[in-house]
Amino acid sequence: MTNEKRIAEQLLLINAVSLNPTDPFTWASGMKSPIYCDNRITMSYPAVRREIAKGLAEMITTHYPEVEVIAGTATAGIPHAAWVAELLNLPMVYIRSKAKDHGKGNQIEGRISDNQKMVVIEDLISTGGSVIEAAQAAANEGADILGVAAIFNYELPQGIENFEKNRLPLVTLTHYSALIETAFERGIIKESEIALLQEWKKDPVNWLNN
């Protein structure tokens, strides 16, 4: 079993990811989706969160060997960033979704220095909008952003386009394709549902209209 499928299997087993192609979920954006991912649940499973932290640390060491500081996005990326920073013995900060409107008006909590090489950790990637904004905020405060590391990637076309447009490297532990394969192998979804799930990834906005 590949690393991608092993992590996907664990997310399915603890119900951090749910699949329901015939009765879709509604995301906060209003978009209908056959998948709902809540990686905050991984915090409650020590064995799973340790494997995620180990996997993220190994990916970062491989793809961003010059890293000097780990950043977590508020709020879901923060605990994973803390565990990874501890494994790599690196400083850690976290990035607010917006600057505070009181005190020093910080958006970055913790301490970074000019041109310090940073990897930003996010729990999941859909369009990438929030983590790209977080990376830009850190860059505006002097960080040298090497890239993003995340647990799960929906592999949506808009997300791929947004990372390419912003020239921001992205690596993830697992992704939608690995999840669908694993869910089928474990009998969680039927063969007849695979095409429906694959169609959503191609055009999630118009999925139910096709």
Side-chain angles (χ1 to χ4, degrees):
M1 180 180 286
T2 64
N3 289 337
E4 289 88 353
K5 291 177 78 170
R6 191 173 68 253
I7 295 293
E9 181 177 52
Q10 292 183 352
L11 296 180
L12 287 164
L13 288 174
I14 64 172
N15 293 319
V17 176
S18 300
L19 293 167
N20 198 340
T22 56
D23 186 13
F25 304 95
T26 302
W27 286 9
S29 63
M31 187 170 72
K32 296 291 184 181
S33 167
I35 177 173
Y36 186 77
C37 183
D38 182 3
N39 281 334
R40 291 176 176 83
I41 289 173
T42 62
M43 292 188 294
S44 302
Y45 293 85
V48 175
R49 76 186 189 216
R50 277 195 294 270
E51 180 150 358
I52 287 172
K54 181 172 176 285
L56 287 170
E58 289 174 351
M59 265 193 334
I60 289 169
T61 301
T62 300
H63 294 278
Y64 313 118
E66 298 175 341
V67 62
E68 296 174 326
V69 59
I70 301 295
T73 55
T75 57
I78 294 173
H80 300 290
W83 293 317
V84 170
E86 185 64 21
L87 284 174
L88 296 177
N89 193 30
L90 288 173
M92 180 231 164
V93 300
Y94 73 85
I95 309 169
R96 294 177 176 275
S97 57
K98 61 179 182 179
K100 288 193 294 188
D101 58 5
H102 59 280
K104 294 183 178 179
N106 292 347
Q107 187 164 1
I108 311 294
E109 298 290 0
R111 182 164 291 165
I112 60 173
S113 55
D114 285 346
N115 301 314
Q116 195 171 21
K117 299 182 187 308
M118 176 183 288
V119 172
V120 182
I121 290 183
E122 178 67 291
D123 67 330
L124 59 86
I125 303 295
S126 53
T127 64
S130 59
V131 72
I132 290 171
E133 287 181 6
Q136 289 172 339
N140 291 340
E141 295 204 19
D144 177 2
I145 307 298
L146 299 179
V148 172
I151 301 170
F152 180 75
N153 186 354
Y154 284 105
E155 300 180 307
L156 300 182
Q158 187 180 350
I160 295 168
E161 180 182 339
N162 285 342
F163 277 92
E164 289 178 350
K165 187 168 63 180
N166 287 276
R167 297 181 179 179
L168 186 61
L170 167 68
V171 291
T172 63
L173 284 178
T174 189
H175 45 70
Y176 189 76
S177 298
L179 186 85
I180 299 305
E181 288 180 24
T182 306
F184 174 63
E185 290 167 5
R186 292 191 63 87
I188 295 171
I189 58 173
K190 302 172 187 173
E191 186 172 10
S192 60
E193 294 173 322
I194 294 176
L196 191 62
L197 288 159
Q198 291 173 336
E199 284 301 314
W200 174 80
K201 189 182 76 169
K202 294 177 186 173
D203 187 5
V205 174
N206 298 305
W207 176 56
L208 291 180
N209 300 324
N210 293 332

